[in-house]
Amino acid sequence: INLSSHKPTVFQEIYRILKPGGRVQIGDIILQREVPAPARGDLDLWRGCVAGALSEIELEEVITKAGFQDFQITWRADIFDGAPQQTTAAKERISFLGARGVNYRARKPG
């Protein structure tokens, strides 16, 4: 989802195909700071699914605007700590942005 350039459409489509009362649970990445415009083209940040990530507030907003209810983050952790595939420079940028792995869920009203 973080690689999508139009996340509202992604969640609208998920909502559309779920049955009433259906639930969605997703593992994703959120940020504590916005990715600065010059960094949006950074391949290391795209490769790590960070450049397109939202903040927790933005994520909840997109999901609720799609029609979902009961948004809840059920798990969060620093998933980049010790990741060998990241360069030192990329680790510093990811750390600065406050990237965290999360699991979240929401429900389509019944």
Side-chain angles (χ1 to χ4, degrees):
I1 294 172
N2 282 343
L3 297 177
S4 170
S5 62
H6 202 266
K7 291 168 193 51
T9 301
V10 172
F11 287 107
Q12 290 164 2
E13 284 299 300
I14 293 170
Y15 185 88
R16 184 184 66 78
I17 64 170
L18 277 177
K19 293 179 181 180
R23 297 179 184 175
V24 61
Q25 182 158 346
I26 297 172
D28 214 341
I29 295 170
I30 60 171
L31 301 176
Q32 295 175 352
R33 291 185 180 84
E34 184 177 342
V35 177
R40 292 212 178 259
D42 184 324
L43 291 180
D44 284 332
L45 295 181
W46 280 107
R47 194 171 21 255
C49 294
V50 173
L54 301 173
S55 71
E56 184 174 335
I57 292 168
E58 292 169 325
L59 178 64
E60 183 172 4
E61 184 178 293
V62 168
I63 290 172
T64 55
K65 280 186 177 180
F68 287 99
Q69 296 178 342
D70 304 327
F71 171 81
Q72 180 183 24
I73 291 181
T74 59
W75 173 87
R76 72 179 73 226
D78 181 358
I79 60 169
F80 294 101
D81 187 34
Q85 71 274 22
Q86 299 294 332
T87 65
T88 301
K91 286 179 186 179
E92 289 172 2
R93 290 188 300 274
I94 289 169
S95 177
F96 170 78
L97 295 170
R100 300 288 180 265
V102 293
N103 284 348
Y104 56 89
R105 63 182 174 203
R107 180 182 57 82
K108 182 175 180 176

